[in-house]
Amino acid sequence: MKNNIKKFREDKGLTQEDLAGIVEVSRQTIISLEKGKYNPSIFLAYKIAKVFNCFIEDVFVFEEE
């Protein structure tokens, strides 16, 4: 699943460590998310979208195969 986490995070002036702390996950999780190697739970996706004050669909892009 593609995502716009890095763009939103950088636009907000947050480091990976900052975002990880806010959503209560490890920095490694944020790295994996940004690289598209990890798909978050709906709860984590919601928390991330809430940090950026947008919809989950704005952050995470579902592509049908």
Side-chain angles (χ1 to χ4, degrees), residues 1 7-8 11-12 17-18 25-26 29 31 35-38 41 48 52:
M1 176 184 310
K7 179 192 176 308
F8 278 108
D11 288 350
K12 198 163 176 96
E17 190 73 35
D18 294 335
V25 297
S26 70
T29 298
I31 291 168
K35 290 182 177 182
K37 295 183 178 185
Y38 173 71
S41 68
I48 291 170
F52 302 131

Side-chain angles (χ1 to χ4, degrees), residues 25-62:
V25 297
S26 70
R27 181 174 159 268
Q28 300 305 76
T29 298
I30 299 301
I31 291 168
S32 293
L33 284 166
E34 287 185 357
K35 290 182 177 182
K37 295 183 178 185
Y38 173 71
N39 291 327
S41 68
I42 191 70
F43 298 108
L44 178 55
Y46 174 77
K47 287 169 97 173
I48 291 170
K50 191 173 175 183
V51 168
F52 302 131
N53 197 30
C54 63
F55 295 108
I56 291 173
E57 295 88 348
D58 296 331
V59 181
F60 298 94
V61 181
F62 178 74

